[in-house]
Amino acid sequence: MAEAQDFTLKIRRFDPESGEQAHWQDFGVELDPDRSVLDGILQVKDREDASLAIRCSCRAAICGSCGVRINGKSALACNTRLSDAKQTAFNGAIAVEPMGNMPVIKDLIVDMDAVHWKKIQRVVPWLLPEGDPPEREYIVPAEAMIDVTQSMACIQCGVCVSACLSLEVDPEFIGPAALAKAYRFVGDPRDDHTEERLRDLAEDPHGIYDCTHCFACIEVCPKDVAPMSQIMRLRRRATADFGIKDSNNGYGHEKGFVDIIEKWGTLHEAQLLPRSFGDGSMIKGQTEPGAVKQLVESLPTAFRGLKSGKITPRKALLHPKLPDQKNVKHIYKEVHDRDKRIELNLYIVSENSVEEEGAQGEGSGEN
Ligand code: SF4
Ligand code: SF4
Ligand code: FES
């Protein structure tokens, strides 16, 4: 056991009953640097201010109740060492504040019902099988369960919800945790409402196409659920397996993107917009009244791009070639010509050789 060291915790305080504004308060703690930020907070509660509010239980990254932001980054307090937190601290003080994107109830406690649990309920978080149940239990192929294991690892801590950038601009976004949960049922062969679930999540303007691929949820998740990857899998199932054409242009955007890469080997930005509005088709995107209307509506964004120099007429119209773009076309063809989609489950790892894993990966699902 290492020797105890002094740390400063800078904790965000807020008590709605006091009438005071939220403010920062510094506390000194003395602990082994391998102990957690939660241990530090509990020492403050124990020795200095019993009124400090924090939600916690297991102290072992299992119950999911101690989510906070440490030096601005969402994390579990019990899963973050004081020594690690000190390395990213500003002016030596470890800043601890409540999670983001959720209303604060008191000090470090947020109202998870108002955001997180509401969204989980939104995705119908239970199986919806049809027909008579089997006489004994449902038998599920092992590969099918491997496919959903990653999303099942979620402990509902809300840390990804706290970090999500899309939720910051659209509080109605269903969000990373609930969408990862949705994949748990979409990927389960016992569920008989896969298409309805996908259609619902694709059509919702705050659904699967509201994620901006920022990777923040993947970076902070303490259980490697990789919520963004689950969202991408929902999109793949919706577009490739069910051909769901949604009013959010998600289908068109994805199809336009893939078709452009197939044709040119690199992204032709000027073509992407009309194709996205035309269900992937350039002609439809330039002739159908609905698509043309959307194109016209997006002109101010294009003008802003031109004004800032992000887009130039030359770049937009004369799509510049990349030196090795024919290799991308080659990769595309290799993948496209396969009999079935191979998705590797990167979550489950084993001691098996690469060849064995490759054989198991086929049909087992993931990323
Ligand atoms: S990748 Fe998507 S779901 Fe994840 S944090 Fe970013 S916007 Fe949110
Ligand atoms: S996906 Fe990860 S970060 Fe999000 S609630 Fe589940 S365990 Fe927590
Ligand atoms: S106290 Fe249970 S996850 Fe931190």
Side-chain angles (χ1 to χ4, degrees):
M1 194 162 154
E3 219 173 280
Q5 287 179 19
D6 290 330
F7 296 91
T8 304
L9 294 182
K10 190 179 190 66
I11 300 178
R12 189 81 175 157
R13 306 294 307 266
F14 173 64
D15 180 357
E17 287 176 6
S18 73
E20 277 182 52
Q21 296 276 5
H23 58 278
W24 294 98
Q25 190 173 1
D26 286 2
F27 296 97
V29 294
E30 191 189 356
L31 276 171
D32 175 339
D34 283 338
R35 298 286 289 273
S36 71
V37 171
L38 178 62
D39 289 330
I41 295 167
L42 293 179
Q43 190 178 89
V44 171
K45 251 180 102 64
D46 193 35
R47 297 186 184 171
E48 292 194 52
D49 186 349
S51 75
L52 175 60
I54 169 96
R55 199 186 273 132
C56 64
S57 178
C58 70
R59 299 166 77 171
I62 294 168
C63 72
S65 58
C66 69
V68 288
R69 278 180 294 177
I70 300 169
N71 301 326
K73 187 171 174 188
S74 303
L76 293 176
C78 72
N79 199 31
T80 309
R81 281 196 186 95
L82 283 163
S83 53
D84 293 338
K86 194 169 179 184
Q87 285 181 17
T88 56
F90 182 65
N91 278 347
I94 299 167
V96 188
E97 57 189 316
M99 287 198 287
N101 292 327
M102 286 174 265
V104 180
I105 295 176
K106 186 172 184 242
D107 295 334
L108 302 172
I109 298 180
V110 295
D111 185 353
M112 290 185 70
D113 279 341
V115 180
H116 176 68
W117 292 113
K118 197 174 93 184
K119 307 285 175 73
I120 295 285
Q121 283 165 4
R122 157 74 185 81
V123 301
V124 191
W126 53 84
L127 283 172
L128 296 168
E130 289 289 334
D132 295 331
E135 267 182 35
R136 296 190 59 187
E137 69 271 18
Y138 286 94
I139 308 290
V140 182
E143 313 85 73
M145 292 325 283
I146 289 174
D147 187 40
V148 292
T149 307
Q150 191 170 22
S151 50
M152 283 167 68
C154 175
I155 55 170
Q156 306 299 341
C157 62
V159 164
C160 57
V161 174
S162 165
C164 178
L165 301 184
S166 283
L167 264 170
E168 255 183 73
V169 288
D170 175 14
E172 293 300 310
F173 175 37
I174 297 175
L179 289 173
K181 187 74 173 173
Y183 189 75
R184 188 255 168 275
F185 298 103
V186 163
D188 193 313
R190 291 170 293 182
D191 194 276
D192 284 312
H193 290 258
T194 308
E195 186 171 353
E196 290 95 316
R197 285 180 187 271
L198 289 168
R199 196 170 290 285
D200 169 42
L201 297 173
E203 274 300 338
D204 190 326
H206 314 287
I208 50 179
Y209 295 112
D210 211 10
C211 163
T212 58
H213 292 192
C214 73
F215 282 79
C217 54
I218 294 189
E219 202 186 317
V220 297
C221 175
K223 292 292 171 186
D224 291 336
V225 172
M228 189 190 85
S229 301
Q230 311 308 326
I231 297 171
M232 295 309 117
R233 299 165 86 197
L234 288 169
R235 288 186 186 180
R236 263 195 312 273
R237 296 290 306 271
T239 54
D241 295 352
F242 291 95
I244 294 171
K245 294 182 180 166
D246 57 293
S247 53
N248 299 309
N249 299 315
Y251 172 90
H253 190 64
E254 193 151 313
K255 182 151 192 339
F257 213 102
V258 172
D259 290 351
I260 288 171
I261 297 297
E262 180 185 14
K263 192 165 175 191
W264 283 286
T266 177
L267 187 62
H268 196 322
E269 302 267 3
Q271 295 234 351
L272 188 58
L273 208 55
R275 282 175 188 259
S276 299
F277 294 149
D279 282 342
S281 155
M282 188 72 183
I283 297 168
K284 209 170 155 190
Q286 290 177 321
T287 53
E288 284 227 331
V292 173
K293 185 169 172 272
Q294 286 182 303
L295 255 184
V296 171
E297 281 169 0
S298 65
L299 281 178
T301 312
F303 285 133
R304 275 200 299 279
L306 280 168
K307 207 170 155 199
S308 67
K310 200 175 165 201
I311 310 174
T312 64
R314 189 181 146 76
K315 256 201 246 169
L317 299 172
L318 300 174
H319 184 58
K321 281 203 165 78
L322 296 175
D324 294 320
Q325 69 187 48
K326 65 173 185 308
N327 292 343
V328 180
K329 286 163 82 172
H330 178 68
I331 294 168
Y332 179 94
K333 193 171 173 336
E334 281 276 308
V335 175
H336 192 255
D337 289 353
R338 282 181 183 155
D339 292 340
K340 68 177 181 184
R341 197 167 72 219
I342 299 174
E343 298 192 16
L344 299 175
N345 190 323
L346 303 176
Y347 184 66
I348 309 258
V349 289
S350 75
E351 300 299 314
N352 291 351
S353 68
V354 174
E355 291 79 28
E356 282 173 282
E357 286 199 349
Q360 286 174 1
E362 293 197 24
S364 69
E366 230 294 88
N367 298 325

